[in-house]
Amino acid sequence: MVFFFLVLFGFLSFTSSQMSHQYHFINIRKNWTEAQRFCRENYTDLATVNNAVEMNSLFKTISDVSYDVYIGLYRSEVFRWHWSLPDGYNVETFQNWKDKQPDINNNEGCAVMDNNGKWFNDSCDSQRQFICFDATANQKYILIEVNKSWREAQEHCRTFHTDLANARDASENRNVKNTLKNKDVWIGLFKDAWSWSDQSNSSFRFWNSSQLSNIRRDQDCVSVMVNQTGKWKDVQCNTTQPFICFSELKSQSTTKPATPAATTTENRPAQNTTDGGNTSSQPTQILTTGPEQDNLILVHENLTWTEAVSYCRKHHVDLVSIHSEELQNRVARRAIHASTSHVWLGVRYTCTFIFWFWIENREAGCYQNWASGHGPRGYEECRLSGAMESTGGHRWVGRPESERLNFICYTCADIK
């Protein structure tokens, strides 16, 4: 059964160096949100899958069980373009759309290349010829002169070659254009609203064929179907089932056993509780030990917003989200000890839907404390994230997410 993955995805050798996750099967039934919290507290996060090699490794951990398990993929509010070839390429690095393309009203499109090498989006169910990419062959680009839907074309290319052809820079775009024989063909660019719990940009998808026509929008979380050789399906997030966590391979020597015993405190990662407990290799963390704030940690390390998210999720639970005045006051009392003028919060701006949202629960919050000219009624632009003033009124402001600031994590105790 494991060999199935190695045959289905002809690029095993092409992606073997991309194995970065170690997976842990947790045989406890939880809903998706509870499973996410468990994984963040005890490992790194709910499982992310970057490529076929990692999917093969994940499936090994559950091949002896007979029920479906959660992974970290969920339906978000933001639709994004991805390259089919799962190598982490940034879609924004190179684009070659036709005028007035892509159609922003088409939220679930797939990309077509015309005979001029320009792109346009179309329904993924349309029937078209397509171009495959083969990383191991002398002829890297192969025109398949059979009409298929985009998903069918992707599966064909992954079965017999490497993947649908990507056009991630001008050189690749020319290579695809020179192969298409004046036809409009599918390329490996698709748009969806599925995101990973750890906020990585993995474009790897392994849907069961029945999912291609599933139009329900109340099933926002993803399960691996053990009886379908590991294919994925969407389910309601309040379903309770076992799940898969992951940890980074670089921490393999200290990885905790993947058993229910991981819920005990002695199996959780050690956390510094005072400045005096800090070591030279760790950022300074300030954790109040009183009952009021024993789950808020100020980290005296200047990181970008994305780096701060990763740090909090690796060492604690997440960047702090603020949904009440009481929590605002608690976070403010942490912020006054920061060494930067602002501290990162777990709120970010989406250009696609033009609103601010808290990353912990992936929705906009009701309680707000924005400074004048910031937030929903202020100046907004792409790649803004939210920060709190360290002094003064402790208002929230939008800052470029590349800026380096202290930040506040929260840990295991519930935030109310």
Side-chain angles (χ1 to χ4, degrees):
M1 187 174 292
V2 171
F3 181 70
F4 168 83
F5 289 109
L6 310 188
V7 173
L8 177 60
F9 298 99
F11 50 81
L12 174 62
S13 60
F14 183 70
T15 60
S16 60
S17 63
Q18 296 181 19
M19 180 68 184
S20 61
H21 294 156
Q22 183 172 15
Y23 297 106
H24 312 273
F25 171 60
I26 308 300
N27 194 15
I28 308 172
R29 288 187 173 272
K30 293 181 179 290
N31 65 36
W32 192 91
T33 301
E34 293 168 342
Q36 179 191 56
R37 173 166 292 226
F38 180 97
C39 291
R40 289 179 177 180
E41 290 176 356
N42 293 282
Y43 297 95
T44 299
D45 212 321
L46 267 172
T48 293
V49 185
N50 288 310
N51 50 56
V53 178
E54 290 196 344
M55 187 61 218
N56 185 42
S57 175
L58 183 148
F59 192 74
K60 287 179 182 179
T61 70
I62 59 173
S63 57
D64 293 332
V65 302
S66 58
Y67 29 78
D68 300 341
V69 297
Y70 277 129
I71 57 174
L73 196 64
Y74 67 93
R75 196 193 309 269
S76 71
E77 300 295 329
V78 180
F79 286 80
R80 296 186 177 93
W81 287 98
H82 306 274
W83 286 112
S84 175
L85 194 64
D87 58 3
Y89 239 84
N90 185 348
V91 174
E92 297 180 359
T93 302
F94 174 81
Q95 297 184 359
N96 200 38
W97 296 103
K98 295 176 65 173
D99 289 343
K100 299 181 181 180
Q101 291 288 322
D103 178 5
I104 61 173
N105 296 316
N106 182 352
N107 279 335
E108 296 189 80
C110 292
V112 182
M113 180 182 288
D114 67 15
N115 58 3
N116 294 315
K118 293 291 185 177
W119 313 343
F120 62 93
N121 65 328
D122 191 13
S123 167
C124 299
D125 295 327
S126 297
Q127 300 286 309
R128 295 185 178 279
Q129 297 182 20
F130 53 98
I131 293 180
C132 297
F133 168 73
D134 197 318
T136 61
N138 291 328
Q139 182 181 349
K140 300 294 184 185
Y141 297 91
I142 303 99
L143 173 63
I144 308 299
E145 297 183 87
V146 178
N147 290 326
K148 292 181 180 289
S149 70
W150 190 92
R151 292 288 179 188
E152 292 169 340
Q154 181 192 52
E155 184 166 351
H156 176 98
C157 291
R158 288 182 168 182
T159 301
F160 298 104
H161 303 286
T162 299
D163 209 319
L164 271 169
N166 288 358
R168 302 161 301 181
D169 56 37
S171 176
E172 289 186 349
N173 203 77
R174 283 194 301 272
N175 289 332
V176 177
K177 176 181 178 296
N178 292 338
T179 308
L180 55 79
K181 295 182 179 178
N182 295 322
K183 302 177 184 294
D184 294 344
V185 297
W186 289 127
I187 58 174
L189 188 61
F190 68 97
K191 186 180 187 182
D192 70 10
W194 295 98
S195 297
W196 293 99
S197 177
D198 70 345
Q199 301 298 299
S200 70
N201 63 353
S202 171
S203 63
F204 183 80
R205 307 288 187 265
F206 195 44
W207 295 112
N208 187 45
S209 58
S210 65
Q211 298 300 124
L212 304 184
S213 59
N214 189 345
I215 60 174
R216 294 185 63 178
R217 288 297 177 266
D218 61 344
Q219 299 179 170
D220 293 338
C221 295
V222 174
S223 293
V224 173
M225 306 169 66
V226 176
N227 63 354
Q228 293 292 328
T229 327
K231 290 292 185 75
W232 302 351
K233 69 174 182 179
D234 54 2
V235 297
Q236 293 183 348
C237 299
N238 60 2
T239 304
T240 59
Q241 57 189 28
F243 50 98
I244 303 289
C245 303
F246 83 88
S247 57
E248 303 295 337
L249 280 180
K250 65 183 179 182
S251 303
Q252 184 171 355
S253 61
T254 58
T255 298
K256 298 167 287 301
T259 67
T263 59
T264 60
T265 55
E266 60 266 30
N267 285 328
R268 289 175 181 159
Q271 296 173 350
N272 295 326
T273 57
T274 65
D275 287 349
N278 184 56
T279 66
S280 59
S281 61
Q282 293 291 328
T284 301
Q285 302 177 117
I286 298 178
L287 171 64
T288 299
T289 57
E292 182 192 44
Q293 291 179 251
D294 59 357
N295 60 335
L296 299 180
I297 302 97
L298 169 64
V299 183
H300 272 156
E301 179 82 354
N302 296 342
L303 299 181
T304 67
W305 186 86
T306 302
E307 291 169 344
V309 171
S310 297
Y311 179 93
C312 289
R313 290 177 175 177
K314 180 176 181 180
H315 297 282
H316 304 292
V317 175
D318 212 330
L319 262 179
V320 67
S321 295
I322 301 176
H323 303 293
S324 68
E325 184 176 3
E326 184 270 339
L327 183 53
Q328 161 74 17
N329 293 334
R330 290 170 55 194
V331 174
R333 285 192 284 273
R334 291 285 83 233
I336 61 176
H337 299 287
S339 59
T340 52
S341 62
H342 296 78
V343 293
W344 287 126
L345 303 175
V347 62
R348 142 179 260 184
Y349 181 70
T350 163
C351 284
T352 304
F353 290 96
I354 317 176
F355 65 78
W356 289 86
F357 67 101
W358 293 100
I359 60 171
E360 185 215 357
N361 61 2
R362 305 181 300 281
E363 61 185 22
C366 294
Y367 175 80
Q368 298 188 23
N369 193 43
W370 292 101
S372 176
H374 292 264
R377 295 179 178 83
Y379 171 72
E380 296 168 331
E381 64 179 26
C382 297
R383 296 184 178 83
L384 280 184
S385 293
M388 174 189 283
E389 298 169 338
S390 300
T391 58
H394 300 288
R395 299 287 182 177
W396 310 342
V397 298
R399 310 284 287 201
E401 59 187 39
S402 59
E403 191 170 337
R404 294 186 172 273
L405 302 173
N406 289 186
F407 52 97
I408 296 177
C409 307
Y410 73 90
T411 188
C412 302
D414 289 335
I415 290 181
K416 300 179 179 180

